[in-house]
Amino acid sequence: MSQRQVLQVFEQYQKARTQFVQTVAELATRPQNVETLQNAGVMSLLRPLLLDTVPTIQQTAALALGRLANYNDDLAEAVVKADILPQLVYSLAEQNRFYKKAAAFVLRAVAKHSAELAQAVVDCGALDALVISLEEFDPGVKEAAAWALGYIARHNGQLAQAVVDSGAVPLLVLCIQEPEIAVKRIAASTLSDIAKHSPELAQTVVDTGAIAHLAQMTLNPDAKLKVRETAFHVMSLGQISKHSVDLAEMVVEAEIFPAVLASLKDPDEYVRKNVTTLMREITKHTPELSQMIVNAGGVAAVIDYLGDSRGNVRLPGIMMLGYVAAHSENLAMAVVVSKGVPQLAICLVEEPEDHIKAATAWAFGQIGRHTPEHARAVAAANVLPKLLNLYLDTQSSEDLQVKAKKALKSVLQKCTYLPALEPLLYEAPSNILKHVICQFSKVLPHDSKARRLFVTSGGLKKVQEIKAEPGSALQEYINAINNCYPEEIVRYYSPGYSEALLERVESYQPA
């Protein structure tokens, strides 16, 4: 047998291996093929090909494994059990950039499913190899490594701390400053995944100077930087801001307001949601931070945003208005003056999801609980009957019922706008009714016009029909209302009075 014939055997074997890994990688892109591939024992066949002498076969085998592991946690677990991860980690340090990208993709695909699988990636020594890859010249390798680190860090504080301890944060901050858009975006997202877990982790990110760079990217995005990338930078700032007053103040001191508010008009709803979430995380801390957002025009901008949005993206805006209003009378009045109440009333009617309705009800409670003027603004928007209906509706979630009830009580205890209270006399259950009657008992003794209207509208008649426990608070409020009128008027509107009159007519003997 000639030398040529011998070599031909090896060439055919190489072609067969190449064709096999390429076909498997292609088949793995379609979900319907994954189960068949798994049942055929594809994992054990791909594993030796990771050590193949031909680089393209190695890379394609890693790519195929990544696609399979990405599909579900069972396949990701199979990759772990097949002892493939240590080989990938070793190769990350040794192989070329194409293989490094594919290996980082497999690590990311395994880590994304659960904290346990992410821990398996950490346990095989992946963090050090991924951090070294952040220093690679090739932007594709940096992006793949940053992405894998983000999927590890996002699960819990312990894993995020492991990423921090590996020295990743300073290198991720450098990645934000890279010219490549994809690298900026993934690095910002990974910093966000680290910072979100605790004040200590957020402080670690801040200590590396991340805020200044994230703020700069937010305010002066690269001409090529797409809106979605700006959104990642804003999201990172939001995750930092949420933990403490000090961290929120650091973000504010980066002078991103009011410039960042322009992004609330962005066509990309992801950008708009992240900017609103950032404001929510800042305003929740103190009246001073809320006042700063108000002064920058943040409340009016968020109210416009609520008018232009639908669904879940409204939630951070609704909560932001609630947080602002909760701090003080003046801040709540800023929400009222900016026409926040009618817009929130629209959200309450339009949104089908109970958790959004619950947040809106909570926001109304924060606005209306301060003074009669605040309560009147809420009541005049015809919100009280809607809150009552949500509280009484058996289809409402428990959280929605609780928040609607609490908001209703908060507003009622301050409301002196009687035309808005009167419809509740006919619909409210006794635990709400006592608050309504209480407000009438406070206003009627001092307002002769209101007393007359209360009679002509049928309010006094309705009060006489209410059956209250003797000595109860409700009975005391009813007595206070009755004391505002002559005794014969009260008797006239009491149940059974007309029958009593008829009996007197029947028993009357004319002279």
Side-chain angles (χ1 to χ4, degrees):
M1 192 179 255
S2 69
Q3 186 182 359
R4 176 79 193 116
Q5 288 173 311
V6 172
L7 292 173
Q8 202 170 2
V9 173
F10 285 91
E11 285 171 11
Q12 285 171 343
Y13 180 46
Q14 182 175 320
K15 278 181 189 171
R17 298 198 314 276
T18 305
Q19 187 179 0
F20 174 74
V21 288
Q22 285 175 346
T23 307
V24 169
E26 178 60 31
L27 289 170
T29 59
R30 300 185 189 90
Q32 64 267 29
N33 298 329
V34 170
E35 196 175 335
T36 311
L37 287 169
Q38 188 179 11
N39 294 338
V42 72
M43 292 291 177
S44 56
L45 294 170
L46 286 172
R47 186 175 177 238
L49 295 176
L50 290 170
L51 299 168
D52 201 277
T53 53
V54 181
T56 53
I57 293 174
Q58 292 180 350
Q59 292 150 27
T60 315
L63 180 65
L65 280 168
R67 286 174 178 170
L68 290 165
N70 202 40
Y71 181 68
N72 65 28
D73 50 357
D74 288 340
L75 284 160
E77 214 162 294
V79 170
V80 175
K81 285 178 179 169
D83 216 22
I84 289 168
L85 295 182
Q87 177 57 45
L88 288 167
V89 171
Y90 171 77
S91 303
L92 259 176
E94 300 293 323
Q95 297 287 357
N96 65 32
R97 61 198 171 100
F98 300 107
Y99 188 88
K100 286 179 179 180
K101 275 193 277 190
F105 170 54
V106 182
L107 295 172
R108 177 185 108 212
V110 172
K112 85 172 199 180
H113 294 290
S114 69
E116 292 74 26
L117 286 166
Q119 188 62 56
V121 172
V122 173
D123 292 342
C124 73
L127 290 180
D128 289 340
L130 288 168
V131 169
I132 291 167
S133 297
L134 288 176
E135 297 185 84
E136 281 282 329
F137 179 74
D138 184 78
V141 176
K142 285 181 183 174
E143 181 193 346
W147 212 340
L149 289 167
Y151 273 108
I152 293 167
R154 68 174 47 181
H155 292 292
N156 60 43
Q158 188 181 345
L159 286 164
Q161 187 63 55
V163 172
V164 169
D165 293 342
S166 69
V169 173
L171 294 170
L172 288 166
V173 173
L174 287 174
C175 287
I176 297 173
Q177 301 163 63
E178 290 286 332
E180 288 79 20
I181 291 167
V183 177
K184 287 176 188 284
R185 179 183 68 194
I186 301 304
S189 176
T190 302
L191 288 171
S192 173
D193 287 328
I194 293 168
K196 72 182 182 181
H197 296 291
S198 71
E200 293 76 22
L201 286 164
Q203 189 65 55
T204 304
V205 173
V206 170
D207 289 344
T208 56
I211 287 179
H213 296 296
L214 290 166
Q216 189 181 359
M217 299 297 169
T218 304
L219 297 175
N220 308 306
D222 188 289
K224 296 178 291 182
L225 196 64
K226 294 176 185 162
V227 288
R228 185 58 67 102
E229 276 67 63
T230 305
F232 278 101
H233 298 136
V234 175
M235 178 175 69
S236 300
L237 292 171
Q239 296 290 14
I240 291 167
S241 302
K242 74 179 184 181
H243 294 293
S244 71
V245 176
D246 289 344
L247 289 168
E249 284 176 349
M250 285 181 180
V251 172
V252 169
E253 284 162 11
E255 298 182 350
I256 55 171
F257 294 100
V260 77
L261 298 179
S263 297
L264 286 175
K265 294 290 184 187
D266 197 282
D268 190 316
E269 71 173 26
Y270 187 73
V271 176
R272 299 199 304 273
K273 183 183 178 185
N274 279 354
V275 173
T276 316
T277 303
L278 169 62
M279 286 197 278
R280 179 191 73 192
E281 301 299 4
I282 290 171
T283 54
K284 74 180 183 184
H285 291 296
T286 66
E288 292 76 21
L289 285 166
S290 285
Q291 189 65 58
M292 192 282 304
I293 298 288
V294 171
N295 294 347
V299 166
V302 165
I303 291 165
D304 288 345
Y305 158 81
L306 291 177
D308 298 335
S309 307
R310 294 290 180 279
N312 258 328
V313 293
R314 276 176 160 172
L315 187 59
I318 291 166
M319 292 180 70
M320 179 264 192
L321 294 178
Y323 281 131
V324 170
H327 287 301
S328 72
E329 290 178 20
N330 290 341
L331 286 165
M333 191 49 72
V335 176
V336 172
V337 170
S338 299
K339 307 282 192 295
V341 172
Q343 186 55 63
L344 286 169
I346 291 168
C347 294
L348 195 65
V349 172
E350 285 184 349
E351 292 302 329
E353 297 286 341
D354 277 8
H355 68 283
I356 301 178
K357 286 182 185 290
T360 312
W362 167 80
F364 278 126
Q366 301 308 315
I367 294 166
R369 68 184 175 84
H370 293 286
T371 69
E373 195 179 352
H374 292 83
R376 178 175 181 143
V378 174
N382 198 32
V383 168
L384 299 181
K386 295 183 179 76
L387 290 173
L388 180 63
N389 290 339
L390 291 171
Y391 166 54
L392 296 176
D393 189 350
T394 54
Q395 300 297 312
S396 295
S397 68
E398 186 182 346
D399 182 52
L400 175 54
Q401 287 179 325
V402 167
K403 286 193 167 61
K405 178 185 175 185
K406 195 170 180 181
L408 201 52
K409 284 186 174 181
S410 298
V411 178
L412 285 175
Q413 284 167 0
K414 292 292 180 182
C415 187
T416 56
Y417 182 56
L418 301 188
L421 294 179
E422 208 158 306
L424 302 184
L425 285 172
Y426 301 90
E427 299 170 20
S430 59
N431 61 332
I432 301 293
L433 189 61
K434 69 180 179 186
H435 297 289
V436 179
I437 298 292
C438 175
Q439 294 310 105
F440 278 105
S441 72
K442 289 177 187 175
V443 176
L444 292 176
H446 312 291
D447 190 335
S448 58
K449 188 179 176 185
R451 288 198 293 274
R452 179 185 171 85
L453 279 171
F454 195 58
V455 173
T456 55
S457 66
L460 185 63
K461 181 174 185 292
K462 176 62 185 171
V463 167
Q464 306 315 311
E465 294 167 4
I466 295 169
K467 293 179 175 61
E469 292 284 327
S472 65
L474 181 57
Q475 186 60 61
E476 284 180 26
Y477 301 146
I478 291 171
N479 291 343
I481 291 171
N482 289 345
N483 290 339
C484 297
Y485 296 94
E487 194 177 331
E488 60 269 24
I489 293 287
V490 175
R491 263 206 320 275
Y492 178 77
Y493 285 106
S494 297
Y497 181 69
S498 54
E499 287 83 355
L501 277 180
L502 286 172
E503 282 177 24
R504 283 178 65 186
V505 168
E506 286 173 8
S507 61
Y508 180 69
Q509 295 296 328

